[in-house]
Amino acid sequence: MINTPPACAGQARFVAPLAPPTQAPVPTHQGPALQPAQAANAPFTGRLAVGLCGVLLAVLLAGFNEHVTEGGLADLSGALSLGHDDATWLTALFEAFNIAAMAFAPWFAVTFSIRWLALAMLALAAASALWLPFCPNLPTLWLTRCIQGLACGSLPPLLMTVALRYLPPNIKIYGLGAYALTSTFGPNLGLPLVGYLFEGAGWHWLSWDIVPLCAAAMGAIAWGLPQDPLKLERFRQFDWLGLITGLPAICFLVIGLFEGDRLDWFRNPAITHLILAGLVLFAAFLINEWHHPVPFFRIQLLKSRNVSDALLTLTGVLVLDVATLQVPETFLEAVHHLRPIQIAPLALGLALPQLGTLVLVAAFCNLRWVDCRHVLLAGLGLQGLSYFLASWIDFDWMGGDFGPMMALQALSQPMIVIPILMLATLSLQPTDGPFISGMFNMTKGFAAAVATALLGALLRRREQYHSTMLLDHHGAVRFQLNGLADGAPGLILSRQLQPHLQARQATALFHGTVHTQATILACADILTIMVGLCGALFALNLILPQRVYPPGSAQPKPPPAQSFPAQPLPAQRRGT
């Protein structure tokens, strides 16, 4: 006979949850770092905030190293006596290892701890930056850039991981806004830094600019970030096949994208082999990640509509963001022959206002009644409007004429990036943080490489098209222009000591004018294409994503479950 407590009579049987074991309160920060037992449940204190700021600074300086070297490549290659072809490999090799490191860094962050990985990569980045101006030959310079890419690419995934892990729910959106700085604010500061560093401090500082920032970030991380225990046992299930296939696949594809336009794409056997081998290896990498027990990527996350939408939208948005500054920069350099320091106010007008708009957008999206999907759609609409206004570009435009475009961009970019981050992260479990961090950052890196290759190819091909059309039109109507006064020959003749060179100089002046007009028309075409891309992303986000709510807000209550009458226990049926 089974005895049943009287209170249970006539009630459904249930099992009460066990009370959690009593834990001692987590002590405050003592010593150089938190102990392993404290790291998992570290309270959000001022010291932890300093550590998170150190990670943010580390990610920003990684972006500075990328964009400053890329923007000052002409000056840097001149100082190092490099030809154009050799200098382009400095960017291609850096980007290849930079993007590859983004894919694998989260796994090593879990294994060696975020704190130790960040400190090691910062030290490596600072040492390679100090050494770069003293490289004795070209292979050493290329190797140094590979090491810099590996170090700088390991840092961005750490910021998303620590933001999702350590920030309290009520301010987690602001952490995502801080991560958005690395996509909006940081890249737009590259061009001003190129101008001010090269003109004011010398070409060495195009490489040394990150050294003091590395020291500051290392101090903040070492003092403020909790120390997780090492998990070296994870190497027993290390994904060697994923590393062997994924690392060369990413490097091959990125190098092919960056060098493709210069080498005429698939007409060059090297580009053909790089991209073909990269695609095959990357397919093998994805298949392996699907089945591996401890993968670098959890491909199953793509089953989530929000994750798929976030990655697709991120790819398109990175193309838009690269075009936002690259098209005006190309126009001002090619048409008006401006130096980076003269274009710096335009870039600052885009970057600095985002320090305020990011906070405002994050605060707005942190309200429960605000649907981040609507904010994303509004941001895409504003971006499309900005490109439409800029598509009326002509020869008379200077930096100030791009002001309305930059104002709309400074508002719309945070309105797009923060909702994308919310869609990518808030629908997942906390344990998925390292996986989505790696996938998100590698997608961001790949999208930037695709954007650079796409815009380069578009600019070259549209410029060639318009040059052909202008020359063809001139050939068709050249006899109708004979009666018009042309001041070019007289201007050349007045400055030319040898009159027999007049025709040659006039022809050179004419072709220079055609090239200028073709470049303007090509820039207008690219901006028009960006309007169409905004429309495509707008349509995608009308149908694919599902609503997410900011963390810490009250979630909508699920419909009440259907209740059934309680059944007596078997012992009660026997009358006990």
Side-chain angles (χ1 to χ4, degrees), residues 7 46-47 84 114-115 135 137 139 172 213 231 234 255-256 277 305 331 368 383 419 421 449 466 478 497 517 554:
R47 185 170 179 175
H84 173 73
I114 297 173
R115 184 171 178 266
C135 290
N137 49 51
K172 190 165 290 186
L213 298 179
K231 300 178 180 179
R234 285 166 54 87
I255 292 174
R305 293 173 57 179
F331 168 81
R368 184 185 178 278
Q383 278 212 343
L421 290 168
H466 289 297
R478 65 186 183 278
L497 298 178
Q517 294 300 323

Side-chain angles (χ1 to χ4, degrees), residues 547-564:
R547 183 172 184 180
V548 295
Y549 291 85
S553 64
Q555 301 294 327
K557 295 182 179 180
Q562 184 178 2
S563 58
F564 297 93

Side-chain angles (χ1 to χ4, degrees), residues 250-301:
I250 296 171
C251 291
F252 290 168
L253 290 174
V254 174
I255 292 174
L257 289 172
F258 272 90
E259 294 293 324
D261 192 57
R262 183 179 68 85
L263 299 176
D264 204 13
W265 290 105
F266 295 105
R267 292 182 178 89
N268 186 289
I271 298 299
T272 303
H273 295 156
L274 281 173
I275 293 183
L276 208 61
L279 290 175
V280 172
L281 288 174
F282 195 72
F285 170 72
L286 294 180
I287 295 173
N288 175 76
E289 295 305 288
W290 181 275
H291 298 285
H292 199 276
V294 188
F296 296 111
F297 288 173
R298 184 168 289 171
I299 309 298
Q300 290 82 355
L301 294 179

Side-chain angles (χ1 to χ4, degrees), residues 17 73 144 187 194 228 253 289 302 383 496:
L73 187 62
T144 304
V194 170
D228 293 329
L253 290 174
E289 295 305 288
L302 295 177
Q383 278 212 343
Q496 184 61 255

